[in-house]
Amino acid sequence: MKSRIYALFILAALFSSNILLGQSDKQKKLEAQRQQILREMKQFRALLFDKEKEEKSEITLIEDLNYKVNKRKNLIRITNEQANLLTREINANQKEITSLREQLKELKEDYAAMVVKSYKSKSEQSKVMFLLSSSNFKQAYKRLQYIRQYANYQKEQGEAIKAKTQELQELNLQLSKQKKDKQKLIEENRIAKRELEKELKERETLMASIKADMSKFAAQIKKKKQEADRLDREINRLIREAIAASNKKAGKKTSTGKFVLTPESKKLASNFEANKGKLGWPVSRGVIKGKFGKRRSLTDASVTNNYKSIQIATETNAEVKAVFNGEVSEILIVKNGNPAVLIRHGNYLTIYMNLSKVYVKKGDKVSTSQVIGQVFTNKIRGETLLGFRINKNNQVLNPESWLAKH
């Protein structure tokens, strides 16, 4: 019976330690996310500081504010998750400590009873007499085994008491640290919430100013959307033409919208694909200000845009770098617009838009991190934005999931 209780005790301890380990892993992931947001916010502030002397348009200001508000909300959300998780861990540890104390009490009582019993058995009958009184050799052997097992069990009980006492001490230390960590997170969240309130008020004031002269801004937004749509159409056309030309050169006629790959280009594509989530950034310093996919207009909620690329805010005169080995497929020159560079990596393409200077030409072989141009700075809007897009054949992909965290 006692051995069964002891076994159950061990299983319960292992189960609870696994739960705490899982929670600790989740806490690490949350902390990594929180640090990532803090780095992005710091970098964004640094980029804004570089441009503080430049006159910014209201649209750019509202976009900057919206970026900060969204990041701040995410920071508060993750910090809340961390604090809540710590609360659960603290409660679990407190329950574990209470349970351990009860189990230790039971183990010590069990151990004390065993010692008393062992002492009495020694006084009543020695181990030798116990063995000699056996009716046959088999019984004597079994009695010897029993004596050894009893001694081992007694030793295990002593070691269990020692181990659980140490575990209890460690849990108490862990609990103390968790309480301090939680208090620190709560204080950081208070500061973040105060900053968020200021940014929301600032955004509200700016939005009121924009709505007061909506006709003026609606024209700006419409023009910007038309330019983006025109650029997307041109890029799509160039990709279709590149696929057709490449397949024709390879002696293949296909209308599937996919590159027919040679062994060399197939290997390049495979290497590119293997680096998903690990590609270097196309600029040394930058944050993703404009996300990929469908997004509502900040100034007109009835307008939804479907973005095929991400917009990376960077510093003035930022150099643009190829994110992977490849070949320059095309240099796109748009009337009244800024150049774009298309680089092919097997059946993948990376597209770098809104450049002021281009240092490569069609057909050039480029290597990872090679500088291919410079980002254009819009003096009217007061921003330096690189458009970055990734395609697999004619399929548009989300570039953010391909870039490494930085």
Side-chain angles (χ1 to χ4, degrees), residues 48-74:
L48 288 178
F49 180 77
D50 287 344
K51 298 181 175 66
E52 68 176 358
K53 293 180 181 177
E54 296 178 13
E55 190 68 29
K56 288 192 174 186
S57 71
E58 288 91 337
I59 297 295
T60 301
L61 287 171
I62 198 73
E63 286 174 352
D64 288 352
L65 268 171
N66 201 62
Y67 176 90
K68 288 197 288 183
V69 164
N70 288 336
K71 287 293 175 185
R72 191 85 62 188
K73 284 179 177 177
N74 275 338

Side-chain angles (χ1 to χ4, degrees), residues 9 73 90 93 103 106 158 204 219 287 294 298 316 336 347:
F9 160 67
K73 284 179 177 177
I90 287 166
N93 271 347
Q103 290 166 1
E106 187 179 339
E204 189 178 338
V287 292
K294 290 184 179 180
L298 296 175
T316 306
N336 300 324
N347 58 345

Side-chain angles (χ1 to χ4, degrees), residues 157-173:
Q157 286 278 62
E159 287 174 352
I161 290 170
K162 184 180 176 182
K164 285 300 152 188
T165 302
Q166 187 178 346
E167 188 180 344
L168 184 59
Q169 290 169 346
E170 288 172 358
L171 276 173
N172 277 320
L173 287 172

